[in-house]
Amino acid sequence: MRILVGVFRMVSLLTYSLWVLFVAYTKFQRVDKKEQGRMIKEYNCRILAMAGVKTAYTGSLPKSMLEYGLTEEAPGEIIVSNHISWVDIFSLDSAVASRFVAKAEIANWPIFGKIAQAIGTLFINRSSKRAILQINTDIQEALQRKEVVALFVEGTTTFGNSLLPLKSNFLAPAVKAGAVVQPMVLVYTSEGVPTTRVAFCGDVTLMGSLWNVVTTKDLVATAHFLKPIDTKGLDRHQVGKICEERMREELRRVWGERFLEHDPNEANALSKAISHS
């Protein structure tokens, strides 16, 4: 039965995504920033629902951010999140429509990569110092347009119950602009229990991860928004340290004894975690 449900969800997901791809290159390009934010939020809520994923969030955010992903005044805000899977972008955008900084490889993904390009995702080649300098300029410009920018600053994905050291390079634009930094953590649960099945890292393929998502029972993606950080008077290293402390504390609270303080081998840990989820 779960296989039939999974097949139905996957077909529905891919079919709807083709429609969204068309809209992204037509109507989306002609509306203002507020309407674009509403469209992004609606799309992500629907795509997750078709994949069998319910969404929730904890914490308090300004109404303007929740409605259309813009702040009332410049500069905008930066959301700093842990990174588990390709689903993270949809999960976060279902709460707050954001400009994501994503690795360049995502732009080449079928359908989803084209959608990401159309809605203004900022792509970065992490191995290029020049590209990092350019992306920081792009982030700063987005903040001046009152936009919300989302960053995955661990540098790679984990399976959810650990947190890698945060890379603070991309926090420099927030410090320079005096923008608020909003730390948060994403947690996926199945039947009310935190699960690792959503993870997309190690030897897990994109299609394998997608199949895990559409066949997981009672899957819920919860965005835990933590206490925001006023960056005035701080440098990027200090901001990164505060983010990491708050994110790690929340993950410990959610995962309890299953939280991994240190994880030297992500691939092996992922394989073990999925086999026990």
Side-chain angles (χ1 to χ4, degrees):
M1 184 63 180
R2 297 303 301 173
I3 293 177
L4 291 177
V5 170
V7 170
F8 175 77
R9 286 175 174 172
M10 186 172 287
V11 171
S12 300
L13 180 67
L14 295 176
T15 302
Y16 180 66
S17 294
L18 289 172
W19 166 249
V20 171
L21 179 62
F22 171 75
V23 173
Y25 280 94
T26 54
K27 179 181 177 181
F28 184 83
Q29 305 300 324
R30 299 193 296 266
V31 299
D32 63 21
K33 287 289 184 182
K34 288 186 176 181
E35 183 59 25
Q36 285 182 344
R38 293 189 183 100
M39 289 176 69
I40 288 173
K41 187 169 182 175
E42 178 184 4
Y43 158 70
N44 284 284
C45 287
R46 287 187 179 182
I47 209 79
L48 288 174
M50 289 182 176
V53 183
K54 297 178 181 178
T55 58
Y57 75 90
T58 65
S60 178
L61 292 177
K63 184 179 179 181
S64 60
M65 285 177 60
L66 289 172
E67 287 187 349
Y68 38 76
L70 297 171
T71 57
E72 294 290 348
E73 299 177 353
E77 289 195 15
I78 284 185
I79 294 177
V80 175
S81 174
N82 60 329
H83 197 13
I84 303 166
S85 173
W86 56 272
V87 193
D88 298 346
I89 295 177
F90 301 100
S91 300
L92 203 164
D93 265 347
S94 68
V96 179
S98 308
R99 292 287 300 277
F100 275 89
V101 176
K103 61 183 181 179
E105 292 88 339
I106 290 178
N108 298 320
W109 286 4
I111 304 178
F112 296 121
K114 295 297 182 183
I115 293 172
Q117 292 181 55
I119 65 176
T121 300
L122 303 174
F123 295 105
I124 174 68
N125 179 358
R126 292 180 181 270
S127 63
S128 170
K129 291 184 178 180
R130 180 176 296 180
I132 292 175
L133 291 174
Q134 180 58 53
I135 204 71
N136 278 351
T137 298
D138 294 340
I139 292 171
Q140 191 167 348
E141 291 175 352
L143 292 175
Q144 293 306 318
R145 293 191 298 267
K146 302 188 294 185
E147 296 176 357
V148 177
V149 179
L151 304 174
F152 299 120
V153 291
E154 291 173 280
T156 187
T157 52
T158 70
F159 54 91
N161 64 337
S162 64
L163 185 71
L164 299 176
L166 304 189
K167 302 180 184 300
S168 62
N169 301 40
F170 299 127
L171 298 177
V175 172
K176 186 173 183 179
V180 170
V181 171
Q182 174 71 66
M184 63 154 287
V185 294
L186 282 167
V187 177
Y188 296 94
T189 58
S190 174
E191 300 183 282
V193 179
T195 181
T196 60
R197 279 184 56 82
V198 176
F200 176 43
C201 62
D203 295 330
V204 179
T205 64
L206 177 60
M207 291 305 295
S209 176
L210 176 58
W211 182 251
N212 284 341
V213 170
V214 298
T215 56
T216 298
K217 189 174 182 180
D218 296 331
L219 184 58
V220 179
T222 302
H224 297 257
F225 292 101
L226 310 176
K227 183 179 178 181
I229 301 168
D230 183 349
T231 62
K232 294 176 181 177
L234 302 176
D235 61 35
R236 63 182 177 87
H237 299 290
Q238 292 171 316
V239 175
K241 182 178 180 181
I242 296 171
C243 281
E244 186 172 333
E245 289 173 348
R246 293 180 183 176
M247 293 165 70
R248 196 176 298 278
E249 180 181 357
E250 182 68 5
L251 288 171
R252 285 195 194 102
R253 185 191 68 79
V254 172
W255 285 90
E257 293 182 353
R258 296 174 65 195
F259 179 75
L260 302 180
E261 292 289 351
H262 301 287
D263 185 21
N265 191 327
E266 284 294 323
N268 289 342
L270 171 66
S271 176
K272 180 179 179 181
I274 288 180
S275 67
H276 290 87
S277 62

